[in-house]
Amino acid sequence: MRFDTVLPAVHTLLRAGEGGRVAIEVLAQHDAHHVRGIALTPTQGLARGMPVQNTGGPLLAPVGKPILSRMFDVFGNTIDREPALEGVQWRSVHSQPPPLVRRSTKSEIFETGIKAIDVLTPLERGGKAGLFGGAGVGKTVLLTEMIHNMVGHQQGVSIFCGIGERSREGEELYREMQAAGVLPNMVMIFAQMNEPPGARFRVGYAALTMAEYFRDDEHRDVLLLIDNIFRFIQAGSEVSGLMGRMPSRLGYQPTMGTELASLEERIANTDSGAITSIQAVYVPADDFTDPAAVHTFSHLSASIVLSRKRASEGLFPAIDPLQSSSKMITPGIVGERHYRLAQAIRRTLAQYAELKDIIAMLGLEQLSPDDRKVVARARRLERFLTQPFFTTEQFTNMSGKLVSLADALDGCERILADEFKDLPESALYMIGAVDEATAKAKSSGQSKPEAKPEAEAKAKPAAKPELSEEQAHAVDDA
């Protein structure tokens, strides 16, 4: 684009086409008269020689209390068919990360009220966590529950940013949030999959501008959910190619590290509040050495992996405790007791995983007494780490439970001490605090341990003894 007068600055928004419907953001100044930009809207009808209007400012995003419960596009236009916004401010989507002097130097745990996360993969307040999960394993339900707990019990704000989302997914999520009753303290912003790469590249910045308003102006904690951070990198790669830059490794843009850092470093814990982010991460071809995955992992403080096998066994949330990890699990941050318990839980579950093949081939009777105790503890821990959610009450007919970290740690410690060895495993399934197990066992009339499912599995020539175990428990529970 040529300008004979004042050359627009980088990040300036330009308008072209009929009625200025084509939005273009300046990305580079070539010389004293030419700039190069990237379109944020479709460019149909744009032709050489058309006039370009300089808006004189950058891309803006709306901020203020009226944006709560609304759905936006990258330009801040509402797309939920509700009345127009009133009484909002407009701020540039481009801002610097908070300076080091304003950042909190204390590492704090962000409690979610979900046992499996708080005990084994605690999140950092003002940190970033990656959520890995395929379709049907409970990823959206887990995100919805965390939004519910954040809004209902911590008086915070939740912002969902969909980068390259399918329109079907966005519409379904909106309905689910509405039905769960968490929409009044939530903001949703989307750049759909069919939109140009420029829109998908900038929607994350718009979401962060909204989050920074609630953190800095209203001093509230913000939960920022991003789905999917890989599509942000992918959009940046497309923009880089359109700008004519030489690609780097595997076709990625040479500026990938800088672009990702400019987004991630704005997510921080400051003296006025915190933005805690949970980001869905797609790993191309399951290759964790892919540059996109490597650069993303360097920013994460926790990784939550959802297991399809655990979901098929009914162990919800289906978090894999052995693959998930958190940098917060150190004695200096979570305390000596929490660290020791988390290590003991992982050790017990890892020993049980190693013993499963022996149990499948020879049966539980061939194990030593100590190994049998390990199996019993591991199975009770697996069931105790399940939890009924508030957002699924209408489907499960079970009241949701919010469990404090102290109660979760106390329950795990008592299970590891064999305090509940005389209770059936099913008494620990889908409860809140561990004391509910005794009442559940009494109400169901079970006072003795259940029949050993591994022995039944040995008697049956089943190809998958784990499924037989769960079926046996389902019969006992009924």
Side-chain angles (χ1 to χ4, degrees), residues 69-205:
S69 79
R70 304 303 300 270
M71 183 189 289
F72 300 92
D73 63 9
V74 68
F75 297 101
N77 301 319
T78 55
I79 54 175
D80 52 8
R81 299 182 181 178
E82 297 291 332
L85 281 177
E86 293 182 1
V88 297
Q89 305 173 38
W90 292 83
R91 294 184 182 175
S92 169
V93 302
H94 301 284
S95 64
Q96 293 298 316
L100 290 177
V101 70
R102 281 196 57 210
R103 292 181 183 246
S104 173
T105 57
K106 182 181 178 182
S107 294
E108 299 178 63
I109 297 298
F110 175 79
E111 285 196 38
T112 63
I114 300 171
K115 292 181 285 188
I117 293 178
D118 290 344
V119 172
L120 296 174
T121 57
L123 307 185
E124 180 182 7
R125 182 173 178 265
K128 296 164 276 284
L131 180 61
F132 306 82
V137 296
K139 181 171 61 177
T140 302
V141 173
L142 186 58
L143 290 178
T144 310
E145 182 71 7
M146 295 179 77
I147 292 171
H148 179 278
N149 293 350
M150 177 71 175
V151 171
H153 301 277
Q154 299 192 29
Q155 305 302 315
V157 177
S158 296
I159 296 178
F160 184 91
C161 175
I163 304 177
E165 283 285 278
R166 300 169 183 86
S167 57
R168 172 187 59 79
E169 294 174 336
E171 195 273 340
E172 287 176 357
L173 185 65
Y174 181 81
R175 302 297 175 199
E176 288 171 1
M177 298 301 169
Q178 200 172 38
V182 300
L183 204 56
N185 281 292
M186 185 177 179
V187 183
M188 303 178 78
I189 181 167
F190 289 95
Q192 297 175 27
M193 190 173 282
N194 64 322
E195 295 187 44
R200 289 180 271 125
F201 191 50
R202 290 300 182 216
V203 70
Y205 293 88

